[in-house]
Amino acid sequence: DTAVSQTPKYLVTQMGNDKSIKCEQNLGHDTMYWYKQDSKKFLKIMFSYNNKELIINETVPNRFSPKSPDKAHLNLHINSLELGDSAVYFCASSLSGRSLYNEQFFGPGTRLTVL
Amino acid sequence: QQQVKQSPQSLIVQKGGISIINCAYENTAFDYFPWYQQFPGKGPALLIAIRPDVSEKKEGRFTISFNKSAKQFSLHIMDSQPGDSATYFCAASTLSSASKIIFGSGTRLSIRP
């Protein structure tokens, strides 16, 4: 009965490689997000999609490209990985990003380690 | 630019004591102030939230106190239990950008048995 799921849970890779993280939600929400949590636990939004439309695109290197094939999925592709990309990446979803009081539900996270 | 400042960074409280985490914000357009709780190896989860038209909200042992004029809000955990040990994030968002939540830097809370 997982609400927001991410794969893989752990990802270890070499610098310069390209990798993808997948996210799926079964809550019927129409807004999905990607967050980055660094080693100091600081949590920062990267992207947000509403019904497959990009609505938030923070100052993120263009090596990061989100893709939403449908409103239940939001994948994150990262090109030319760098050491500084090492972090935990969280996917989240909410009923509607247009409403102020909607709770965001987070996935379990993907710990990315770039060697 | 950190729009939501949170303190302390870490906190140790004896079982049964009161845990207090403080946050301050700069943007007066913020309209919604949620608190998220994160256990090790898990994603954050909404704990409790408040709107600026009320000064206090209580849910069980958890209370948010809100001071609009001072632009400060705090989380109080009464009768703290070892199971409350987690990282707590205060956050804020605005009506104009409802899906964008600005998180504080987090407080790692440890409750000693």
Side-chain angles (χ1 to χ4, degrees):
Chain A
D1 280 24
T2 306
V4 181
S5 60
Q6 296 178 227
T7 54
K9 188 164 176 62
Y10 301 96
L11 187 52
V12 181
T13 188
Q14 298 288 331
M15 258 186 1
N17 284 350
D18 303 339
K19 290 293 178 186
S20 292
I21 306 172
K22 295 185 177 181
C23 178
E24 177 181 1
Q25 55 94 3
N26 63 5
L27 297 167
H29 291 167
D30 57 10
T31 304
M32 296 184 72
Y33 313 80
W34 277 110
Y35 286 86
K36 180 180 181 180
Q37 186 170 49
D38 62 23
S39 58
K40 295 184 179 180
K41 294 284 192 180
F42 192 67
L43 198 60
K44 192 173 190 303
I45 191 166
M46 301 172 67
F47 303 102
S48 174
Y49 270 75
N50 180 267
N51 277 324
K52 298 178 12 178
E53 176 191 351
L54 182 65
I55 57 172
I56 293 177
N57 185 352
E58 290 296 286
T59 308
V60 176
N62 57 15
R63 298 182 294 104
F64 290 78
S65 54
K67 284 189 171 46
S68 182
D70 55 62
K71 72 175 191 178
H73 296 84
L74 180 62
N75 303 322
L76 183 65
H77 189 76
I78 315 171
N79 288 327
S80 303
L81 278 156
E82 300 178 356
L83 292 176
D85 297 332
S86 296
V88 180
Y89 292 85
F90 287 100
C91 177
S93 72
S94 67
L95 185 57
S96 171
R98 309 292 183 194
S99 172
L100 179 61
Y101 306 120
N102 280 311
E103 175 181 354
Q104 291 190 15
F105 291 79
F106 284 77
T110 295
R111 182 175 293 275
L112 172 64
T113 303
V114 182
L115 303 175
Chain B
Q1 182 184 2
Q2 189 178 0
Q3 296 189 50
V4 180
K5 294 183 179 180
Q6 183 171 348
S7 63
Q9 187 176 6
S10 61
L11 181 62
I12 300 174
V13 174
Q14 289 294 124
K15 179 183 174 183
I18 303 174
S19 304
I20 302 174
I21 303 170
N22 300 300
C23 286
Y25 62 96
E26 300 162 5
N27 187 349
T28 54
F30 285 144
D31 281 280
Y32 178 57
F33 301 88
W35 284 85
Y36 278 77
Q37 179 188 53
Q38 184 180 23
F39 292 105
K42 305 290 186 184
L46 180 67
L47 180 65
I48 186 172
I50 196 167
R51 290 155 41 181
D53 53 349
V54 298
S55 60
E56 186 175 282
K57 183 172 182 181
K58 184 175 181 178
E59 289 185 2
R61 297 183 294 109
F62 300 89
T63 300
I64 301 177
S65 298
F66 188 84
N67 185 330
K68 189 173 181 178
S69 61
K71 293 186 286 185
Q72 294 175 345
F73 58 111
S74 60
L75 176 69
H76 291 63
I77 306 175
M78 311 299 289
D79 186 27
S80 298
Q81 299 297 311
D84 297 330
S85 297
T87 299
Y88 291 81
F89 294 92
C90 62
S93 62
T94 67
L95 272 171
S96 62
S97 183
S99 61
K100 182 177 177 179
I101 294 180
I102 308 296
F103 284 89
S105 53
T107 296
R108 184 169 294 187
L109 174 65
S110 296
I111 307 300
R112 285 191 172 158

